[in-house]
Each structure stands twice: as structure tokens, then as C-alpha cells.
Amino acid sequence: MKTITVVGMGYIGLPTAITLARGGFDVCGFDVNTAVLDSLRAGKLHIVEPGLQEALTETINSGRLTFSDTCPTSDAYIICVPTPFSVENGKRRADLKYVDSAAATVGRAIKPGALVILESTVPPRTTERMAKVLEESSGLTRDQFYTAHCPERIIPGQMLRELRENDRIIGASSPEAAELVVEIYSKVVQGGKLHVTNDVTAEMCKLCENTFRDINIAFANELSMICDPLGVDVFELIELANCHPRVNILTPGAGVGGHCIAVDPWFIHEQFEDTTPLILAARQENDFKPFYVAKKVHELAPDATIAVLGMAYKPNVDDLRESPSITMAHEFEKLGHKVICCEPNASVEAIEGIPNFSLAEAIEKADFSIITLAHDEFKADKQTIAKKPFFDCIGLMR
Ligand SMILES: NC(=O)c1ccc[n+]([C@@H]2O[C@H](COP(=O)([O-])OP(=O)(O)OC[C@H]3O[C@@H](n4cnc5c(N)ncnc54)[C@H](O)[C@@H]3O)[C@@H](O)[C@H]2O)c1
């Protein structure tokens, strides 16, 4: 394994390509988006991630990382393309069109003995589906190439460190495939352990990690809605309950957002509707929370101009995907409120039509604020927030 093509130069693919190049492999970053490739060829990052710009410059200069809009022949391929969900007849289903088209393209480039690793988060049995696409488009038989699923668990903000230090799950379709994957990851993973299993277990491992968190947060959100009429501080309650050595309840919030925790549980539920009522209930509970907050505040202050403080899906990022704050802001609009927001990480005038102001301006213009995220800017200026009535989804003002 000397040459590796990483398919998809996004949040996961690019840091992975850089890490592999630093590990001594000759890496080609392949993408279908020419704007992304133009930027990378010019040595400029198109995503925000600490330390990545310096690492990009270093690996391009070393000659070990190049970019291409055609998929070359190489010893191994790592597929890191999007896996969003689409809604069909009211039901959410994994949209695997990017995985299918990436596999078809890779299939046209592979030679016997090649290894294809799927790193995208996928529903169970997608690695086998990818193998069938590879077989069809390559003309090779199943025993002439190797496949594996190695789910990615790195967190934005710490990607380069976690790529080296996190444990890796290697879901190989054969012992030979496992050996080849271990050969690659053992050159870049320092500190973390490599765990070999089969591909379906690896697919389920990534999904069950995020589903576990979704269910735990749903419980915390449910507690917050019970505590409200009881006059109990849910954050104190959870702190006290977590003093028990075997209890670890996560934190309630405005709901659950992002492209992982709010999406991955659906990839299990879509295949096992009858046996996953708990997974479905957690998704529904977390999706309901922004509507609960909007209704509650509407009853308290029916004519108020509302400022939503935090529109991203988690603290200190600009990522708005599946953000419950955006759902909540639109719900306030439906209830007849004028709504503004403060999202200090997005330097735009409006987010989905909701005017975006600095914290001081938002508080000045609004009658009532909703604190949805513990952004550093909010933590540093609680006095400004306290000037007007607020609803605190996250316990920031305690
Ligand atoms: N971003 C994260 O924090 C994170 C964490 C863990 C797992 N994941 C998973 O990793 C996968 C990739 O996510 P991402 O955030 O890197 O996506 P992204 O949208 O940032 O990047 C995907 C890239 O793939 C390219 N692409 C799409 N189809 C292609 C094709 N057929 N051939 C070549 N390139 C193609 C796109 O142009 C884009 O540049 C997803 O399954 C996601 O769920 C993401």
C-alpha cells in the first residue's frame, strides 16, 4: 500500500488525505467539485479547521499530496462522500447516491488487488452494496479486490489530533482486507488502538454511538420539560443524579442538530421500523424540543420581539445543518413574533431570513431572548444577556 486516493475533499476527506500524506503515503485527493479543487490546488483551505491550513501547505510542499478531478489508479481508495437523508413519503431514508456514484467511479479505476475503504457514515450493509457497484463497474470478480468500512469519529475543531489519537474500528470483509487496512492505519494512528471486526458491525458501531447520544439527550430534554412545571432546576437535578457512580445523563438543550446525531439514528430506524420504537421516540423527542420552547415563551410573552442567541447546531462553530435553533426561530415567526438572532460565528446579515446582530444589538432590539448555545461570546458577556428577560435552554446563566 503506497498510493492512496481519497474520494471527497470535504470535512473528513481532506484532513484524512493530509494525515495519510504526513504518514508517508503518496495521496491523491479526488473530488467532483472543481471550485474545491481549484482552491486546494492554490493551497487554500475551503473549510474552517484549526491547524489544517499549515498542514495543507506542508503536505503540498512535500510533494506527497496532489489533487485531481479524475480518479487515478492507486493501491487503495478511501471514500469520504456525503450521506444525507432524504424524505420519501414522509419517511426519512439515507440518500446513498453519492456513495453509489463514488463507488462506480472508483470501480472504473481499480486494478486487481486494490483496497476500497468506505469512511462515510452509512446504514447497515452499505459496504456490501458498495462492493456490488465496484464489481459491476470494474468488471472484476468479488475476490479480486478488497473492501472495508472504517467509520470516522473525529470532531470538528480537533480533527488532525483525533485522526492520530482516536481508536479506529476496522470493519473488513475478509482477513486479507483487514491486514491491508491495518497496514495503512498503523502508519498514521499513534495512541489510538485499531479494532478489527466485520463490515456490518463497523457500520452499526458508528450508528449506535450517535444513537446512544441521541437517546441520552432525549432523556435529558424530557427531564427538562418535566422539571419546568415542577419548578425544579433540571441542571441541578442532572448534576446531582450524575453524582451516582453509574449514572451519566447528558445535557438538555434546544433540541439536537448537526449532520451526525440528528441524522444517523434514522439509518437504523429505516431498516427496522417495528423493532426500534425507542430510537424513533428519541428522535421525535429531540425534534419536539424547539416547538416546546417556542410555545412556552409565546405563552409568557405573546407580543415579544424574540432574539435567538445561537443559530449553529453546537457551540463555537458556524455549521447550521439541522440546527434546532433555526426550527425554533421559524416557529416563533409562525406564532406571530418578530424574530432576530445573534450568531457570532456566521458573519452574515441574516440566517434563513432571520436578521443576525451582535449580542448587544440583539438584546437592545428584542424584548425576550432564548439562549440556545454556550458560545464563548455569550459566556463572556452574561451581563448584556441579563438586561432583558430570557429563556435559558442550556443553563448558561446559572
Ligand atoms: N463532518 C464531520 O464532522 C463528520 C464526522 C464523522 C463522520 N462524517 C461522515 O463523513 C462523510 C463525509 O462528510 P463530510 O462532512 O466530509 O462531507 P462534505 O460535504 O464536507 O464533503 C464531501 C465531499 O465529497 C465530494 N463528493 C461528492 N460526491 C462525490 C463523488 N461521487 N466523487 C468524488 N467526490 C464527491 C463533495 O464535492 C465534497 O467536497 C459523511 O458520511 C458524514 O456523515 C462526518
Side-chain angles (χ1 to χ4, degrees):
M1 296 284 117
K2 289 195 172 63
T3 56
I4 302 178
T5 298
V6 180
V7 182
M9 286 290 95
Y11 284 98
I12 294 298
L14 180 61
T16 299
I18 288 173
T19 301
L20 290 164
R22 280 177 155 179
F25 295 98
D26 285 326
V27 182
C28 174
F30 160 60
D31 203 293
V32 289
N33 185 327
T34 46
V36 166
L37 293 174
D38 287 347
S39 169
L40 292 174
R41 283 196 192 107
K44 279 200 201 123
L45 270 193
H46 62 296
I47 54 174
V48 178
E49 175 64 23
L52 202 60
Q53 179 61 61
E54 296 78 358
L56 175 70
T57 310
E58 170 207 313
T59 42
I60 291 176
N61 289 344
S62 75
R64 291 212 175 274
L65 178 60
T66 54
F67 300 100
S68 175
D69 58 1
T70 52
C71 186
T73 293
S74 50
D75 299 330
Y77 298 80
I78 300 186
I79 298 182
C80 308
V81 295
T83 45
F85 61 61
S86 56
V87 182
E88 288 166 29
N89 303 325
K91 291 188 174 176
R92 290 180 174 85
R93 304 243 167 259
D95 181 352
L96 296 176
K97 66 171 179 276
Y98 302 102
V99 173
D100 287 345
S101 92
T105 309
V106 168
R108 287 190 284 275
I110 57 172
K111 296 277 178 278
L115 167 69
V116 184
I117 303 173
L118 179 60
E119 285 206 4
S120 300
T121 305
V122 290
R125 304 191 192 103
T126 305
T127 311
E128 208 36 51
R129 170 182 168 134
M130 175 190 79
K132 288 200 178 80
V133 178
L134 288 168
E135 236 180 310
E136 280 161 23
S137 70
S138 66
L140 299 178
T141 54
R142 185 67 188 85
D143 55 357
Q144 286 183 295
F145 61 91
Y146 304 100
T147 59
H149 176 59
C150 301
E152 192 47 77
R153 302 134 119 193
I154 54 178
I155 191 168
Q158 318 227 7
M159 288 181 158
L160 286 174
R161 183 181 65 73
E162 291 208 350
L163 272 166
R164 289 192 313 274
E165 294 179 6
N166 284 2
D167 282 17
R168 292 302 301 245
I169 307 294
I170 296 173
S173 47
S174 66
E176 295 77 21
E179 236 173 77
L180 295 175
V181 182
V182 169
E183 189 186 323
I184 292 176
Y185 287 121
S186 58
K187 293 222 171 80
V188 292
V189 175
Q190 297 148 3
K193 289 194 193 120
L194 305 180
H195 306 267
V196 175
T197 180
N198 61 57
D199 48 6
V200 183
T201 305
E203 290 163 342
M204 277 305 294
C205 186
K206 168 74 189 182
L207 297 180
C208 90
E209 289 158 14
N210 282 343
T211 303
F212 169 78
R213 290 173 64 75
D214 198 44
I215 291 171
N216 193 326
I217 298 167
F219 178 57
N221 277 329
E222 194 160 287
L223 285 177
S224 73
M225 292 184 268
I226 300 165
C227 286
D228 223 355
L230 287 174
V232 168
D233 177 345
V234 68
F235 301 100
E236 183 192 0
L237 171 72
I238 291 175
E239 252 169 48
L240 294 175
N242 283 351
C243 293
H244 186 293
R246 285 169 293 283
V247 172
N248 182 18
I249 306 169
L250 295 176
T251 317
V256 166
H259 56 291
C260 285
I261 300 183
V263 173
D264 298 352
W266 294 114
F267 291 3
I268 304 179
H269 180 70
E270 70 175 29
Q271 289 187 22
F272 304 98
E273 284 186 3
D274 294 343
T275 42
T276 53
L278 176 64
I279 292 175
L280 177 63
R283 274 288 65 245
Q284 288 170 334
E285 184 82 36
N286 286 329
D287 280 352
F288 172 66
K289 185 72 189 286
F291 295 95
Y292 171 86
V293 175
K295 182 166 180 279
K296 166 138 186 118
V297 173
H298 176 66
E299 283 163 6
L300 286 172
D303 303 316
T305 293
I306 302 289
V308 178
L309 307 183
M311 292 290 266
Y313 85 85
K314 68 174 191 168
N316 300 323
V317 300
D318 63 348
D319 194 337
L320 304 170
R321 286 181 282 182
E322 312 294 328
S323 170
S325 304
I326 296 178
T327 307
M328 192 192 295
H330 290 318
E331 182 61 13
F332 273 118
E333 285 183 322
K334 281 190 199 137
L335 293 169
H337 292 267
K338 184 173 177 210
V339 186
I340 59 174
C341 71
C342 169
E343 180 40 77
N345 298 294
S347 43
V348 290
E349 282 180 11
I351 294 171
E352 290 207 9
I354 314 284
N356 184 21
F357 294 103
S358 70
L359 182 59
E361 282 173 315
I363 295 296
E364 195 201 313
K365 288 179 193 297
D367 306 309
F368 205 111
S369 71
I370 317 291
I371 307 162
T372 61
L373 292 171
H375 283 327
D376 287 346
E377 289 83 353
F378 302 161
K379 284 201 237 170
D381 197 1
K382 292 186 192 176
Q383 306 92 306
T384 297
I385 299 175
K387 283 182 187 162
K388 297 271 178 74
F390 57 80
F391 185 93
D392 187 356
C393 300
I394 48 164
L396 182 86
M397 303 296 277
R398 294 176 70 228

